[in-house]
Amino acid sequence: MSYSAAQVAAWVAGNVSALESKMDQKFAETDRDINSAWLVLSASIVFFMQAGFSMLEAGAVGKKNVINILFKNIMDASIA
């Protein structure tokens, strides 16, 4: 069976547009997954920054005020 060039071109054009549609959908899903991973990573970094700042404040105050500073920072992280 022999096909004309016009028939082959029409078949390729139809399949390419279907393939582009599928690829666009996959790229959208991948983009969403990457954005979610970035959000979780950024949130964890901010949480660890809170803990580091808590240690900095605890080291900057006197021995008797350390518990108060740590409690304040725990409440700050819990409420925020």
Side-chain angles (χ1 to χ4, degrees):
M1 183 172 242
S2 158
Y3 295 103
S4 70
Q7 288 174 326
V8 172
W11 180 82
V12 168
N15 285 336
V16 167
S17 64
L19 182 60
E20 282 180 342
S21 173
K22 288 180 184 178
M23 287 179 62
D24 286 343
Q25 182 182 5
K26 287 293 184 184
F27 285 146
E29 291 174 6
T30 303
D31 190 40
R32 187 190 65 224
D33 293 341
I34 290 171
N35 286 339
S36 298
W38 180 253
L39 180 69
V40 170
L41 177 66
S42 298
S44 63
I45 289 171
V46 168
F47 188 76
F48 283 116
M49 285 171 47
Q50 181 80 18
F53 187 67
S54 176
M55 295 297 113
L56 176 72
E57 282 186 323
V61 298
K63 201 176 204 181
K64 66 179 185 172
N65 293 328
V66 171
I67 299 292
N68 293 334
I69 292 295
L70 292 177
F71 180 74
K72 178 188 75 81
N73 285 314
I74 287 173
M75 293 308 294
D76 183 40
S78 298
I79 293 170

